[in-house]
Amino acid sequence: MAQSVPLPVVLPIEDTQTIRLWQGAAPGAQGTTETDIPSLTVYLPRNTPAGMTAIVIMPGGGYRNLAMNHEGRQVANYLNSAGIAAFVLQYRLGPRYHHTVELGDAQCAIRTIRSHASEWHVAPDRIGAMGFSAGGHLAATVSTHFDSGIPQAADPIDRAGSRPDFTILSYPVISFTEPWTHQGSRTNLLGDNPSPEIAKSLSADQAVTSNTPPTFIFLTNADTVVPAENSVAYYLALRKAGASGEIHIFEKGPHGVGLATDDPALGEWPKLLMNWLRANRFVTP
């Protein structure tokens, strides 16, 4: 069983431990239950050589629930099989929590891994953000809203930058302004009547710049929950900004397939992802 422990000064290499992102109450916490405590669950490969690639996994669930099994643990185990350290993020959810809480949780997760990279045998310049559905929106948001850290901060975690080195988006929610917006994610994250300005700023396709991390995108054309326009808009924004991107649109398949291990066609997408990671030297052959 995974256990929740405070973040120590030096992190032991321990598989499946769950670590609170803040030792005390998280910023903006409204209680002390598990849903008020953002955390990372650590999944490590069998061998943990120095300089491993690390990926923060952000499960989906419409910013109201978290699909921690097929978009969390199963994905982490697959990445481990490729020698990648995986960290599943339990971020806070609406309607109890709204922006900027979720973004802060994702940024802190990346800072935490980067600031303790040597203890976890992780390369600080190969830390990726991976998200599914609404978790894909969070991964895209942390990839377009980041900073290089606060050098004078008392907490060494806050001194680390929050920019992912690469991004993986699986059938992601992207826009909060278009007719094809996933309204449930928008409402849970922003409330019933967000200002047009905040909705636009959190439409990830409108926040892409040339400094947006290289991005791999996977989706299906048949997805009626989060239509393909979301992913296509993000890819085209990457292209327009001169940022790196690769997109794979499968014809058939519903929303929320995870690794799609029960579908011979869709089940190829993790292999395409590994090819992209190798080609871009985010993992070694």
Side-chain angles (χ1 to χ4, degrees):
M1 295 291 292
Q3 57 181 344
S4 181
V5 296
L7 187 66
V9 175
V10 177
L11 296 171
I13 301 289
E14 183 180 339
D15 192 32
T16 69
Q17 77 174 312
T18 298
I19 296 174
R20 296 167 61 143
L21 291 181
W22 285 274
Q23 291 190 49
Q30 299 183 33
T32 58
T33 67
E34 183 179 354
T35 58
D36 298 302
I37 303 172
S39 63
L40 283 173
T41 300
V42 184
Y43 293 87
L44 297 173
R46 186 169 186 174
N47 298 311
T48 57
M52 289 187 297
T53 296
I55 295 179
V56 181
I57 302 169
M58 304 172 193
Y63 280 118
R64 192 180 186 97
N65 303 289
L66 289 176
M68 296 294 279
N69 185 28
H70 75 286
E71 292 177 354
R73 178 186 59 82
Q74 290 180 13
V75 178
N77 290 338
Y78 174 78
L79 295 174
N80 286 170
S81 72
I84 297 170
F87 300 78
V88 178
L89 174 63
Q90 178 173 306
Y91 53 94
R92 288 171 285 177
L93 299 166
R96 184 174 176 87
Y97 291 100
H98 295 311
H99 179 73
T100 59
V101 167
E102 292 83 351
L103 174 59
D105 291 349
Q107 290 176 332
C108 186
I110 294 169
R111 295 187 207 277
T112 296
I113 297 168
R114 185 162 282 136
S115 64
H116 289 282
S118 60
E119 293 97 324
W120 266 322
H121 297 183
V122 164
D125 59 351
R126 291 205 308 275
I127 299 172
M130 180 180 195
F132 295 79
S133 192
H137 180 268
L138 184 56
T141 303
V142 80
S143 299
T144 50
H145 297 73
F146 51 79
D147 60 63
S148 57
I150 306 169
Q152 68 273 22
D155 189 336
I157 291 176
D158 290 332
R159 298 175 205 152
S162 63
R163 178 186 182 273
D165 296 297
F166 59 92
T167 308
I168 302 162
L169 304 179
S170 298
Y171 40 89
V173 175
I174 292 294
S175 178
F176 283 162
T177 62
E178 298 291 345
W180 29 266
T181 292
H182 185 253
Q183 293 296 335
S185 295
R186 183 181 190 267
T187 300
N188 287 325
L189 183 65
L190 302 181
D192 292 326
N193 296 295
S195 70
E197 292 77 17
I198 191 67
K200 180 179 179 180
S201 71
L202 291 177
S203 295
D205 58 309
Q206 300 190 49
V208 168
T209 70
S210 60
N211 199 32
T212 299
T215 304
F216 176 97
I217 308 170
F218 148 72
L219 66 148
T220 73
N221 185 62
D223 188 343
T224 58
V225 178
V226 178
E229 284 85 349
N230 284 271
S231 294
V232 172
Y234 196 81
Y235 172 76
L236 291 176
L238 291 168
R239 181 177 171 86
K240 182 177 180 180
S244 174
E246 180 168 312
I247 187 168
H248 295 271
I249 306 176
F250 288 74
E251 180 184 2
K252 301 182 185 300
H255 185 74
V257 296
L259 294 175
T261 54
D262 58 347
D263 187 314
L266 282 182
E268 291 295 305
W269 85 261
K271 300 176 185 177
L272 297 173
L273 168 62
M274 292 309 304
N275 290 340
W276 179 80
L277 290 171
R278 294 187 189 102
N280 287 275
R281 300 185 181 274
F282 295 125
V283 297
T284 54

